[in-house]
Amino acid sequence: MKKGKTAVIVGAQWGDEGKGKIVDVLSESFSVVARYAGGHNAGHTVIINGKKFILQLVPCGVLRAGCRSVIGNGVVLDPLAFLKEVGALREAGVKVDGNLFVSNRAHVILPYHRMIELAAENAPGRVKIGTTSRGIGPAYEDKMGRRGLRVADLLDLDLLKKHIENAVREKNMIAHALFNSEPLDADRMYAEYAQAAEKVAPFACDTAVLLNQAFANGESILFEGAQGTMLDIDHGTYPFVTSSSATSGGAVIGTGVAPNAITSVIGITKAYCTRVGEGPFPSEEKGPAGEQLRKRGNEYGAVTGRPRRTGWLDLPLLRYAGMINGINWLVVTKLDVLDELAEIPICMSYKIDGKQTMEAPAQASGYDKIECVYRRFPGWKTSTEGITKFDKLPRQTKEYLAFLEKETGAKIGMVSTGPDRDHTIFMDEFVAELKTAAGKA
């Protein structure tokens, strides 16, 4: 029996690269879309025929008829946020029931996780990470501390009651002692989450079995990451990172498929660079040009509304992301945001203490010493918005993309020229591979 093909989509920068739109566009060629990391701190904005969908937990494949969506074991699930999102999708006429599956091994976010994170982030003397304060980090802490609650446990009401009573007692004491926080009510929490458990139950199953059976049956699977490579807990700009494995390796851990089941890795990069929250950003542009990128690119968080920091394309960072993830296809998003610029800088390499280097420092403080070495490209000063054919792009735009392809060693498979599903350029070789993946060759 012919096994299916798989692709992992990863952010090649600090997240917010436009993965939502790309997963939505590509999901047409895949039977299953599986999310493998993060929580409802990741917002994907998808625009279809002018209608906007903001997805936080639910994979973008849910917007495609006949495509199944999976929330893998590597995700941390806030049951109330999940049910709210499912309700909004139902109201919008999206077929969720029977198409969406949640891993019974995914860990659950409870109110005390939010309490601890909010208090810790605002505590005097603590390094601010710039989290969304949605309880993601503390839920992963409990998972790694082997004191977490999983979806399977959420559905076991006796266990749920005992777990909440014990955890609330402990967390209230910690939060009060460290941060003088108000205590949480265990009985009220149990009543609310027991009710939520009943509504989550129809979605819960062993998604590792589901995915491996689909793969064995020749179906194609798209793995959807959250955040980006430089926010990965192991390989990012620690401690200014997320709490999960945002790289392509996370797809294996976070879903239960084997490493040799991954057939290609697609890295998403903006035509420039952004970052939300605190932490290093070598190519950040703090002047008027940065503000222009923010305005033209509408660089505000899909979930939080926070303004994103903006800057120029960083080649050392992209090469690093390519190495860590094994990126063989690159998708360039928001190309049209650069349309009005007379010249476009690209960070070619780093200088630290006067010495040129291509390596990313291990310590966040190491980034403070970085001086970016830029090369400036002529802008095209004409609109590329909505262009769907590569040969219709201005000459300078093609040169910019060709340079990016040459310097990263990954082939450009797609270019996004606007927010809508249809504002997309597909490269022929990439389309041929997708058709093979979908069994349409």
Side-chain angles (χ1 to χ4, degrees), residues 301-356:
V303 172
T304 61
R306 287 189 293 180
R308 295 179 187 134
R309 296 154 66 192
T310 56
W312 306 113
L313 206 59
D314 184 330
L315 283 177
L317 186 150
L318 270 183
R319 291 191 196 104
Y320 178 76
M323 174 185 77
I324 295 292
N325 293 297
I327 293 170
N328 42 1
W329 289 104
L330 210 53
V331 173
V332 180
T333 62
K334 294 200 165 184
L335 182 71
D336 54 301
V337 173
L338 304 180
D339 286 349
E340 292 178 1
L341 296 172
E343 65 171 22
I344 303 160
I346 291 184
C347 173
M348 300 294 296
S349 62
Y350 297 151
K351 262 188 188 174
I352 298 177
D353 297 328
K355 292 178 184 169
Q356 199 144 315

Side-chain angles (χ1 to χ4, degrees), residues 21 45-48 336 385-386 416-423:
K21 174 192 163 171
T45 304
V46 180
I47 299 173
I48 304 167
D336 54 301
E385 189 173 354
S416 173
T417 56
D420 206 279
R421 188 185 261 180
D422 300 328
H423 297 164

Side-chain angles (χ1 to χ4, degrees), residues 228-241:
T229 302
M230 300 310 291
L231 293 176
D232 182 86
I233 186 71
D234 286 296
H235 304 290
T237 50
Y238 191 90
F240 302 97
V241 290

Side-chain angles (χ1 to χ4, degrees), residues 44 114 144-145 249 253 260 342 415:
H44 289 335
R114 288 192 294 278
M144 290 308 180
I253 301 162
N260 59 0
V415 180

Side-chain angles (χ1 to χ4, degrees), residues 90-367:
R90 281 188 189 126
E91 274 180 39
V94 176
K95 189 180 183 303
V96 182
D97 303 280
N99 277 347
L100 176 61
F101 304 89
V102 175
S103 171
N104 53 15
R105 288 169 170 79
H107 278 250
V108 173
I109 298 172
L110 288 156
Y112 50 75
H113 292 127
R114 288 192 294 278
M115 172 182 75
I116 295 280
E117 185 166 38
L118 197 60
E121 186 73 351
N122 294 313
R126 292 289 281 262
V127 174
K128 278 202 183 305
I129 304 295
T131 74
T132 55
S133 297
R134 292 179 179 223
I136 313 292
Y140 277 115
E141 282 182 50
D142 277 357
K143 173 180 177 174
M144 290 308 180
R146 293 164 296 183
R147 55 181 176 267
L149 183 87
R150 302 190 298 175
V151 169
D153 309 323
L154 177 76
L155 307 183
D156 180 338
L157 296 187
D158 289 339
L159 180 59
L160 176 65
K161 194 170 198 317
K162 200 178 295 177
H163 181 93
I164 286 177
E165 283 169 0
N166 291 337
V168 166
R169 192 183 307 118
E170 181 188 299
K171 306 290 183 187
N172 277 343
M173 284 169 68
I174 292 168
H176 180 72
L178 293 180
F179 314 117
N180 202 27
S181 297
E182 288 297 309
L184 294 169
D185 184 325
D187 292 338
R188 188 190 296 174
M189 194 187 299
Y190 169 73
E192 190 174 22
Y193 282 79
Q195 203 175 9
E198 196 181 326
K199 293 174 183 169
V200 170
F203 298 98
C205 68
D206 188 333
T207 52
V209 171
L210 184 155
L211 289 168
N212 281 288
Q213 282 178 347
F215 182 64
N217 292 339
E219 292 186 66
S220 52
I221 304 167
L222 187 63
F223 295 99
E224 175 187 353
Q227 287 86 34
T229 302
M230 300 310 291
L231 293 176
D232 182 86
I233 186 71
D234 286 296
H235 304 290
T237 50
Y238 191 90
F240 302 97
V241 290
T242 193
S243 305
S244 58
S245 299
T247 48
S248 58
V252 173
I253 301 162
T255 62
V257 298
N260 59 0
I262 306 296
T263 47
S264 74
V265 179
I266 302 165
I268 317 292
T269 175
K270 280 177 181 162
Y272 50 101
C273 208
T274 64
R275 171 162 202 164
V276 167
E278 307 298 321
F281 187 173
S283 65
E284 185 169 9
E285 173 58 71
K286 293 180 179 177
E291 185 55 38
Q292 187 182 356
L293 288 174
R294 188 176 299 109
K295 279 184 179 162
R296 277 190 58 81
N298 190 28
E299 294 297 352
Y300 300 91
V303 172
T304 61
R306 287 189 293 180
R308 295 179 187 134
R309 296 154 66 192
T310 56
W312 306 113
L313 206 59
D314 184 330
L315 283 177
L317 186 150
L318 270 183
R319 291 191 196 104
Y320 178 76
M323 174 185 77
I324 295 292
N325 293 297
I327 293 170
N328 42 1
W329 289 104
L330 210 53
V331 173
V332 180
T333 62
K334 294 200 165 184
L335 182 71
D336 54 301
V337 173
L338 304 180
D339 286 349
E340 292 178 1
L341 296 172
E343 65 171 22
I344 303 160
I346 291 184
C347 173
M348 300 294 296
S349 62
Y350 297 151
K351 262 188 188 174
I352 298 177
D353 297 328
K355 292 178 184 169
Q356 199 144 315
T357 179
M358 292 293 184
E359 279 189 36
Q363 286 181 293
S365 59
Y367 282 85

